[in-house]
Amino acid sequence: MSEPKAPTPAPGDTYKGWLFKWTNYIKGYQRRWFVLSNGLLSYYRTQAEMGHTCRGTINLATANIAVEDSCNFVISNGGTQTYHLKASSEVERQRWITALELAKAKAFRMQAESDDSGDESTPPAAGQGGGARNSEVQSTLRTLGSKVEDLSTCNDLIAKHGSALQRSLSELEGVRLGGETSEKIRQVTERATLFRITSNAMINACRDFLALAQAHSKRWQKALQAEREQRVRLEETLEQLAKQHNHLERAFRGATVLPPSQSNPAIDSKGSVPGKGDASDEDEENEFFDACEDVQEFITVPADPKYHRSGSNVSGISSEMGMDDGTTSLDEQSMASNPESPQSQEVVPVRKRRTRIPDKPNYSLNLWSIMKNCIGKELSKIPMPVNFNEPLSMLQRLSEDLEYYELLDRGAKCQSSLEQMCYVAAFTVSSYSTTVHRTGKPFNPLLGETFELDRLQESGYRSLCEQVSHHPPAAAHHAISERGWTLRQEIALASKFRGKYLSIMPLGSIHCIFEKSNNHYTWKKVTTTVHNIIVGKLWIDQSGEIDIVNHRTGDRCHLKFAPYSYFSRDVARKVTGVVTDKDGKAHYVLSGTWDEKMECSRVMQSSRGGENGADGRQKTVYQTLKAKELWRKTPLPEGAENMYYFSTLALTLNEPEEGVAPTDSRKRPDQRLMEQGRWEEANAEKQRLEEKQRTARREREREANRSANPEEAEEVEIATEPSETTDKTDTDETSSDLSLSSGHQDSYKAMWFDRCVDPMTGEPTHIYRGGYWETKEQGNWDSCPDIF
């Protein structure tokens, strides 16, 4: 018996070689280069093709291996892949069969382990170093386990071939000498050769196993010793920390026990100083803000324990700002606007508001057929059916900014402008909480359309909105409260459709004036982005920066709305901010999310240092006291997902109400039909209203031309009269401003607002001139235009 020259495949190693593969009846068997690696059998025309062109691959984990004759064998996965292969000799064929069986067994085990690991949870690593060591040990154990499985497979093969050899030898003993003897001897020789091949494979596996065990033995000993030493060091460190904690606790208790003459009146009124370290435990276990990522501009850390004295409230204003004894601080006020708070108990409803609207119908619509020709245009110039709307107008959406009016009520009670700024900032963020699921587009208000929100008896405020411009669309808003604050704003929307997303940029300033302190705050809104316009589920994000300025004191609050990122580890919809005085000194740090809650922390000390930001500059580190909740979103009513995700307030905005102006959004017929689920009728009514608005605009243009040039009035009328074709396509949301084409501005004058220059910002704006609520009391709406 001659020793075969081809190398014996080691279990688990890559095995390569030439085989003949059946192609078709014309070409027959063709010589191909086969590679067995990681449970996959691949073949190429030549060895040179291995780097770029694979002709086929079959996974052995689910494949069947069958021997046809001395040199042929078949591999099939039971589906479309079947390889008919031929080796150059029976010995070569058996080498491949052995390698394939080993690879199949290993691939099957790896697949089973992968399935099992998907149902098990991996315990978290104690640290980076411990995680690396644990990963190394796990990898070594898997390798050793694989080698043991190889040994087991080889053992089964040896038993199989040994039995065959034994049968051949038994048959040889019973054969008479003659022509048949040589044939039996040849069979015995082949069996012995195959047995030796398999035995060599097992010997190689044993050698690898032993070498690997010896190589890792010393490393395991060193790793074990290092773990023991680290455990000892950790125990010593823990003991030192426990002693330091005990020392600090005793020192804190001693510092908080003040003489009766120096004790804080607030503490005396509520009881004695807590004993047994209760206050200390509460302060030591507070949850402070985590270190921020590069997108943030500062870092907050717990303040030094010396600031956690019971004689100092969270704001620290009583000692620094000279507040009166009756002043209510952030620490003493109820921070969360929940139904159980004393503030909300003052609200006495005078009428029962509705809590449901008809469920949204399930209408299908091809969005791309409408949007494909509108890329790059303004949203106000895109003809949109009511299918994309929600049954509220933009004026009603603007009134929803007052959903959490209680924040301004609390701000009006503050003696400190810095505390007041915190409430104004929380109110600013809260106005976005209603938009998180509201992907529907509000109705574009008609020119002259109004909306009143009279909650004077229930909540102490009144609100009025009016559409004061059509191109560009702009709405003026004025709200006044009996509790000492006024809110006014004019918002114009600039929007662009970019194909995948829609950006809405509100233009204009928001003003909040507090009557008692005469503090006047202004700020602007951030950009709203609607994602997945064409494909996927719509979702909304708010991003940008807001600077709230107190024009009386110079205090500022810089809020940053972090844009959503798939790669960010930070919480989604995060908002951070810092309240500073006119000198730039930080007093409060704000943090939270625009869809859930906002908190504030009193800054006790600030310094430069910490990690470098994305721009290479060092971040500011703020030492803060315990965070206090300023605002938390009220849960949506039950079934909100079927009612356009309306909040409790939004459900009442379009509720029919007597006594309102004939221009009020509640009386808009297309909006009312849509709310009732009659969308086809609503679309027809919407077109009628748009045509009526175009006619009114053309009439105003004619009147303006007659007043400016009486002699040329007839000629101008002819020039500005659109053709029948143009008139049909010039819709409320598609036409350009015809008044601009005729060389003058639209002569429309708002009913309840005067256009002027804002004295604070210097911007042109509309300010409420009064008279609406007096007209409502009289019930005399004769001067209101007929827009519906």
Side-chain angles (χ1 to χ4, degrees):
M1 292 181 293
S2 60
E3 184 72 14
K5 296 180 180 180
T8 300
D13 295 342
T14 300
Y15 190 58
K16 306 175 184 178
W18 291 102
L19 288 172
F20 292 90
K21 179 180 179 296
W22 174 263
T23 56
N24 51 53
Y25 286 101
I26 297 176
K27 295 184 179 180
Y29 283 95
Q30 296 293 322
R31 194 165 178 256
R32 296 290 183 260
W33 179 257
F34 280 81
V35 177
L36 175 61
S37 178
N38 296 326
L40 300 176
L41 179 64
S42 306
Y43 74 94
Y44 310 83
R45 286 188 177 179
T46 62
Q47 299 183 44
E49 282 190 348
M50 290 181 59
H52 53 85
T53 305
C54 178
R55 301 293 175 175
T57 301
I58 190 168
N59 189 351
L60 297 178
T62 57
N64 296 321
I65 304 173
V67 178
E68 290 187 335
D69 54 28
S70 60
C71 296
N72 292 13
F73 59 101
V74 179
I75 304 175
S76 175
N77 62 359
T80 59
Q81 288 180 301
T82 301
Y83 294 169
H84 295 268
L85 305 176
K86 181 194 294 185
S88 58
S89 65
E90 185 175 357
V91 174
E92 181 64 20
R93 183 212 67 185
Q94 190 58 41
R95 286 194 178 120
W96 274 104
I97 293 295
T98 302
L100 290 170
E101 288 179 343
L102 289 172
K104 177 182 178 180
K106 181 177 292 186
F108 183 78
R109 290 195 305 270
M110 292 177 63
Q111 184 175 6
E113 291 174 0
S114 176
D115 295 340
D116 294 341
S117 63
D119 301 330
E120 299 176 357
S121 59
T122 304
Q128 186 175 2
R133 286 190 294 271
N134 183 59
S135 176
E136 181 181 356
V137 171
Q138 293 295 333
S139 176
T140 303
L141 291 177
R142 285 195 297 270
T143 303
L144 292 177
S146 175
K147 293 297 181 181
V148 171
E149 293 294 341
D150 289 345
L151 293 178
S152 177
T153 303
C154 289
N155 180 69
D156 295 340
L157 291 174
I158 287 176
K160 175 182 175 182
H161 295 314
S163 299
L165 179 60
Q166 185 64 37
R167 286 195 302 271
S168 298
L169 293 175
S170 299
E171 292 175 359
L172 183 60
E173 293 177 356
V175 174
R176 297 179 180 180
L177 296 177
E180 191 178 358
T181 304
S182 58
E183 179 64 22
K184 291 297 182 181
I185 293 176
R186 189 184 66 81
Q187 292 182 6
V188 171
T189 302
E190 291 178 355
R191 299 290 183 182
T193 302
L194 296 177
F195 184 76
R196 185 174 65 256
I197 292 174
T198 308
S199 301
N200 289 339
M202 183 172 185
I203 292 172
N204 291 336
C206 293
R207 186 187 303 114
D208 292 341
F209 181 84
L210 180 61
L212 187 61
Q214 291 175 345
H216 286 280
S217 177
K218 294 182 179 180
R219 297 182 61 184
W220 291 339
Q221 292 178 2
K222 291 181 180 179
L224 180 60
Q225 183 63 25
E227 291 292 341
R228 289 175 177 173
E229 294 176 356
Q230 185 178 8
R231 179 177 179 180
V232 172
R233 289 195 299 269
L234 288 175
E235 290 177 352
E236 294 175 353
T237 304
L238 183 61
E239 184 179 358
Q240 294 177 2
L241 289 175
K243 292 179 181 179
Q244 293 177 5
H245 182 272
N246 190 23
H247 174 73
L248 289 174
E249 190 177 53
R250 289 198 303 269
F252 174 74
R253 291 174 183 171
T256 54
V257 179
L258 302 176
S261 60
Q262 299 178 4
S263 61
N264 193 304
I267 298 178
D268 292 339
S269 63
K270 295 179 182 178
S272 60
V273 178
K276 301 196 178 194
D278 292 342
S280 174
D281 293 341
E282 180 181 354
D283 290 334
E284 292 294 336
E285 296 176 1
N286 286 338
E287 273 192 35
F288 293 90
F289 297 121
D290 295 331
C292 305
E293 294 187 61
D294 288 341
V295 295
Q296 298 177 343
E297 301 173 352
F298 56 86
I299 300 175
T300 58
V301 297
D304 193 278
K306 67 181 180 181
Y307 295 114
H308 291 263
R309 296 187 179 181
S310 57
S312 300
N313 56 29
V314 172
S315 65
I317 300 299
S318 58
S319 60
E320 298 179 9
M321 305 296 289
M323 289 169 54
D324 298 332
D325 293 338
T327 300
T328 304
S329 68
L330 283 174
D331 190 31
E332 296 167 348
Q333 292 188 30
S334 174
M335 294 300 183
S337 56
N338 54 60
E340 299 179 357
S341 63
Q343 181 70 32
S344 61
Q345 292 176 1
E346 299 176 6
V347 177
V348 180
V350 296
R351 58 172 291 183
K352 185 177 180 180
R353 304 284 179 179
R354 68 179 183 180
T355 59
R356 288 197 61 84
I357 61 173
D359 288 351
K360 177 182 178 180
N362 185 18
Y363 283 98
S364 61
L365 187 66
N366 186 356
L367 178 62
W368 180 242
S369 63
I370 296 174
M371 305 295 284
K372 63 182 178 181
N373 296 322
C374 304
I375 297 178
K377 295 182 180 179
E378 287 191 29
L379 181 64
S380 60
K381 297 181 182 296
I382 299 177
M384 302 286 282
V386 299
N387 303 56
F388 296 110
N389 288 14
E390 61 179 15
L392 289 179
S393 76
M394 190 63 198
L395 302 181
Q396 292 165 317
R397 284 288 291 267
L398 200 59
S399 301
E400 282 190 70
D401 286 357
L402 299 171
E403 174 114 11
Y404 299 97
Y405 67 91
E406 300 98 333
L407 294 169
L408 297 182
D409 290 348
R410 293 172 189 159
K413 298 178 182 179
C414 293
Q415 296 292 330
S416 166
S417 61
L418 296 170
E419 289 184 3
Q420 193 175 74
M421 177 69 83
C422 292
Y423 283 110
V424 174
F427 174 79
T428 303
V429 176
S430 71
S431 64
Y432 297 98
S433 63
T434 61
T435 67
V436 62
H437 299 298
R438 301 272 288 278
T439 56
K441 172 184 174 292
F443 279 79
N444 277 5
L446 301 175
L447 189 61
E449 185 176 335
T450 61
F451 178 73
E452 69 164 67
L453 185 62
D454 190 352
R455 296 290 192 269
L456 192 62
Q457 297 183 13
E458 297 170 277
S459 307
Y461 71 88
R462 279 175 168 177
S463 167
L464 176 66
C465 293
E466 181 180 358
Q467 186 75 2
V468 295
S469 175
H470 183 60
H471 285 301
H477 180 205
H478 182 272
I480 187 169
S481 172
E482 290 182 337
R483 293 166 188 170
W485 55 266
T486 300
L487 185 77
R488 62 178 174 87
Q489 58 181 320
E490 179 180 344
I491 298 297
L493 298 180
S495 54
K496 289 293 183 181
F497 173 58
R498 300 299 186 186
K500 293 183 179 180
Y501 62 91
L502 179 71
S503 295
I504 303 172
M505 294 76 70
L507 307 176
S509 298
I510 305 172
H511 299 252
C512 184
I513 304 99
F514 290 95
E515 180 180 348
K516 184 177 180 181
S517 61
N518 202 29
N519 288 328
H520 190 138
Y521 299 88
T522 62
W523 67 91
K524 296 179 182 291
K525 289 181 175 287
V526 296
T527 299
T528 299
T529 305
V530 184
H531 294 270
N532 293 344
I533 292 293
I534 302 301
V535 179
K537 184 178 180 181
L538 292 175
W539 60 279
I540 292 179
D541 192 25
Q542 313 285 351
S543 61
E545 298 181 1
I546 295 179
D547 283 308
I548 307 175
V549 180
N550 185 342
H551 293 272
R552 187 183 73 83
T553 64
D555 301 338
R556 304 179 72 91
C557 177
H558 180 76
L559 292 173
K560 184 171 183 179
F561 289 65
Y564 178 80
S565 173
Y566 290 103
F567 307 102
S568 176
R569 294 174 296 174
D570 214 337
V571 62
R573 309 182 183 97
K574 188 169 186 178
V575 181
T576 56
V578 179
V579 176
T580 58
D581 57 22
K582 63 180 180 179
D583 298 323
K585 180 182 178 182
H587 290 264
Y588 289 97
V589 169
L590 305 177
S591 182
T593 57
W594 55 264
D595 68 324
E596 183 180 358
K597 66 176 181 179
M598 284 297 293
E599 297 176 337
C600 77
S601 302
R602 173 71 178 173
V603 176
M604 307 310 299
Q605 191 173 357
S606 63
S607 61
R608 281 284 180 180
E611 301 176 1
N612 291 333
D615 55 0
R617 295 182 301 176
Q618 286 186 325
K619 299 178 182 178
T620 302
V621 179
Y622 295 117
Q623 294 186 18
T624 61
L625 296 182
K626 180 182 179 181
K628 294 294 183 180
E629 188 175 274
L630 290 171
W631 160 76
R632 180 176 291 274
K633 180 184 177 181
T634 304
L636 293 176
E638 184 179 357
E641 64 277 3
N642 299 321
M643 299 184 293
Y644 307 90
Y645 287 97
F646 280 179
S647 63
T648 303
L649 174 63
L651 289 173
T652 66
L653 293 180
N654 205 43
E655 184 177 9
E657 190 170 325
E658 295 184 359
V660 299
T663 56
D664 196 272
S665 300
R666 299 176 181 88
K667 297 187 176 183
R668 181 164 176 166
D670 54 348
Q671 185 172 297
R672 181 66 60 189
L673 288 170
M674 185 202 172
E675 180 184 281
Q676 296 171 356
R678 300 154 63 183
W679 284 13
E680 294 183 1
E681 299 176 54
N683 275 316
E685 191 66 20
K686 180 173 179 288
Q687 294 179 6
R688 182 189 69 81
L689 293 177
E690 292 168 356
E691 175 61 30
K692 185 175 183 180
Q693 181 172 235
R694 288 194 300 273
T695 303
R697 183 169 65 245
R698 290 196 296 267
E699 183 62 31
R700 287 195 305 272
E701 292 167 2
R702 295 191 189 100
E703 292 296 331
N705 286 329
R706 292 192 186 99
S707 301
N709 300 298
E711 298 179 356
E712 302 177 3
E714 184 177 356
E715 180 181 354
V716 173
E717 287 180 13
I718 297 175
T720 57
E721 183 71 26
S723 64
E724 183 178 357
T725 304
T726 304
D727 188 51
K728 288 181 180 180
T729 58
D730 176 27
T731 65
D732 173 52
E733 301 181 29
T734 59
S735 64
S736 59
D737 195 345
L738 294 180
S739 63
L740 298 179
S741 65
S742 59
H744 61 81
Q745 298 290 334
D746 195 337
S747 59
Y748 176 79
K749 183 178 181 181
M751 278 290 298
W752 311 108
F753 291 81
D754 287 330
R755 184 175 177 83
C756 60
V757 176
D758 193 295
M760 280 293 176
T761 63
E763 301 173 348
T765 187
H766 284 79
I767 297 180
Y768 178 63
R769 67 168 175 266
Y772 178 87
W773 303 107
E774 294 77 6
T775 304
K776 180 181 179 181
E777 291 179 1
Q778 298 170 4
N780 183 14
W781 301 110
D782 295 339
S783 59
C784 291
D786 178 19
I787 62 175
F788 299 143

